[in-house]
Amino acid sequence: MKISYNWLKQFIKTDWTSEETAALLTDLGLEVEVVDKYQSVKGGLQGVVVGHVLTCKQHPNADRLRVTTVDLGDGNAPVQIVCGAPNVAEGQKVPVATIGTVLYSKDGEAFTIKKGKIRDEESWGMICAEDELGLGQSHDGILILDENLKPGTPVAQVFKVENDEVFEIGLTPNRADAMSHWGVARDLRAGLLQKNVHVEMITPSVSAFRLDKRILKIDAVVADAKLAPRYCGVTMSGLTVKPSPEWLQNRLKAIGLTPKNNIVDVTNYVLHELGQPLHAFDASKINGKVCVKTLEAGTKFITLDGVERTLSAEDLMICDDKGPMCIAGVFGGQNSGVTESTTSIFLESAYFNPVSVRKTAKRHGLNTDASFRFERGIDPSITEYALKRAALLIKEVAGGEVTSDVIDLYPKKIEDFPVVLNFAKAAKLIGQDLPKETIKKILASLDIKVNSTSDANLGLQIPSYRVDVQREIDVIEEILRVYGYNNINFTKKLNATVANSARTEDHKLQNIIAGQLTSQGFNEMMANSLTTPEYIQLSEMLKEEANVAMLNPLSSDLAVMRQSLLFSALEAVSYNVNRRNGDLRLFEFGKSYQKVLLGFDEKKHLTLTVSGNRSGETWTGAQKPSDFFLFKGFVTGILSRLGIEKTQTRPLVTDLISDGISLYVGEELVVEFGVVKKSVLKHFDIKQEVLFADFNWDAVLKFVSNKIKFTDIPKYPEVRRDLALLVDQSVNFDAIYNLAKQTEKGLLKNVNLFDVYEGKNLPEGKKSYAVSFTLQDTTKTLTDDQIDKIMGKLLKNFEGQLGASLR
């Protein structure tokens, strides 16, 4: 937001420098990011003076050039200047850019006036046309000045060049009260009073407003007072639409606005002066009365930018008897605005519901100065005042008369907010006891009224325009920012308490696993919890009724909370693959959200996503793609790191994952993982295989023990025995592993599958597993008899329960 310092000083008379003022505003919470210089004429006409043409002769070597001698009024001899303008003549007073003066072209490019020779004649400056000085568009000849001007007078004084300084304020969304020069001035006054600089707040007077004639009455009706709590209007006739005077144009140009015409410029001026958006309708284009209402969904409307828009049933519109004229609080219509032929207007000033305006602006992708303010909440108490202020300015710059009574539809007044401030609580939060009189002084400077006083509390009344101050804590924040954060004393002694926390706390376990995954080449990703509702169409397991929908979505792509983290991961994969980064290992700690019968269900997850090659390209060997078994190692490695060893494997049945398995502890699902189905990948335009794992993090936390178990490293050697087992195709290794562990619980330390053979020389429907068994006794060395006995028992159970046989 841009604030003109000259404009600001119309509200507060202060001799503070712009640097001091910027520093104070920043301390008050209105951070001044940049202070720019503004000049109504670029360069400020520095170095351009009034010259008196003493002689003017034909150039001896050029038909279209003249050689002049000019008195610059500097006490030195007249200088010779070569000029090509056809209207230059002896005796004229003209603007002269002296040697070293910097002028600017129409494109803003700077060029410096230098001594030179033009067709062998010396030239010591330049006699300027108005476009060369930035004073107009004409280039027909040089600019002729008043003959009574004294040579040497700076031309900047003749044309009253305005110099200003403009604050670029990084306004936070909560400070709706400071979205105008008046609002910033209120804060500045409070800051100056805190520094014992007593200043008076000067507000524009509207006492001169009066009804001139009752000759143009336009009635107004508000269909829904909740959407438009206050609506004011008045008509004006006999207007002349023309360019605004220089003072008004300079105010708007300083803050980056382009002047259009005097009527529109006044509405923009009052908007940035008082923070009240206004709109001027051409009265001759209004058919019947003005009606503020919503229209049927699908209604077409062409806005001021020439775009045809399809209206929603929730869009509040300003209409006449024939149809819509303006999107209330957002954007005007193409056919109802002020033009050069306008002679009468209906001037509107209103307070619209902030939520309604925000939804409409987002829905149509519009962001205007008016919607910016309406969305955040303007001051409902100045609606009529701003209307009268604008009407008086329009009479000043466009003539005309006020030709109707002021319409003010305000059925239910928006009241100020009552708040009780407790002194003890304020001292506790601020960290310092402030004198009660200081607190009252600060509150008074912020227009916060004290209705009642006791030793412990203050009963306060907060102005309705301070929509961000409705609680006691908000009032304390206001006191603190005006008093000054830098003025709060603090002790040099630092006290801290070291809390004893368990090693199984959520954030600690997340850090442990994140460290493990990053060491394995994973990158952590963070996805938006908001997503598109269309994703539920990719799975029958996701239900539309379970979607947690946003009441005020930013867009249709961010309308619901995600039910699954899979789609966020696939969005990341697609984004990277499309940028030639296809070898991916990603993990995310996040949440899923679902609507359930009695409320909402929110679950924590850890997801892993792997796609592409397992390592980069090297000369030592060919690239290998990441496969299911590598991925399974990552998954089981996480469980092993957390001490979760006793899991049961079950097949994963889902329409999103193929070739997947689930791991359970008892009847609790811990993780499910597998290969994402190609039909799902196609939706994201992913052509390479993607492996995905989804940990039920809430369940993981339940099974992590806080007890640390350890054993001494055994002194006695381990023994390995291998078996080549011939089994049915339906038997998997997991069955062999579990049966072996059940058969020998004490001495069997590890079971490992190191070879699988399927093919010729084997009976049909059979396969061969080569399995190693590691045995160890921590108290003594195993004997051959013990080993043979254990292996015999294992083989017997394999034969009896799994139908296995030795090859």
Side-chain angles (χ1 to χ4, degrees), residues 16 124 144 152 187 263 273 327 500 545 548 551 557 566 592 603 622 666 668 686 718 767 790-791:
W16 276 39
W124 292 75
I144 310 300
D187 256 25
I263 307 297
E273 180 187 49
I327 302 178
N500 181 26
E545 57 270 19
V548 180
L551 296 176
D557 289 336
L566 170 62
S592 65
K603 294 179 180 178
E668 186 95 47
I686 301 172
E718 60 183 27
K767 60 183 174 181
I790 292 171
M791 295 306 297

Side-chain angles (χ1 to χ4, degrees), residues 338-360:
V338 173
T339 63
E340 292 181 357
S341 60
T342 299
T343 58
S344 59
I345 63 171
F346 176 76
L347 187 61
E348 167 196 275
S349 177
Y351 176 88
F352 297 119
N353 182 281
V355 175
S356 172
V357 173
R358 181 164 56 250
K359 287 184 176 181
T360 296

Side-chain angles (χ1 to χ4, degrees), residues 115-179:
K115 173 190 171 183
K117 278 190 176 183
I118 303 177
R119 294 289 183 92
D120 298 327
E121 293 290 335
E122 289 188 346
S123 184
W124 292 75
M126 185 172 82
I127 303 175
C128 301
E130 67 174 34
D131 67 329
E132 292 168 331
L133 296 175
L135 296 172
Q137 302 298 322
S138 175
H139 194 69
D140 295 336
I142 61 170
L143 184 62
I144 310 300
L145 303 177
D146 189 335
E147 62 180 12
N148 296 319
L149 291 173
K150 183 179 178 181
T153 303
V155 172
Q157 295 180 9
V158 177
F159 291 97
K160 297 180 181 179
V161 175
E162 178 165 349
N163 293 289
D164 198 356
E165 292 167 292
V166 180
F167 302 139
E168 183 77 41
I169 295 178
L171 193 67
T172 52
N174 64 309
R175 292 303 307 277
D177 63 296
M179 293 186 295

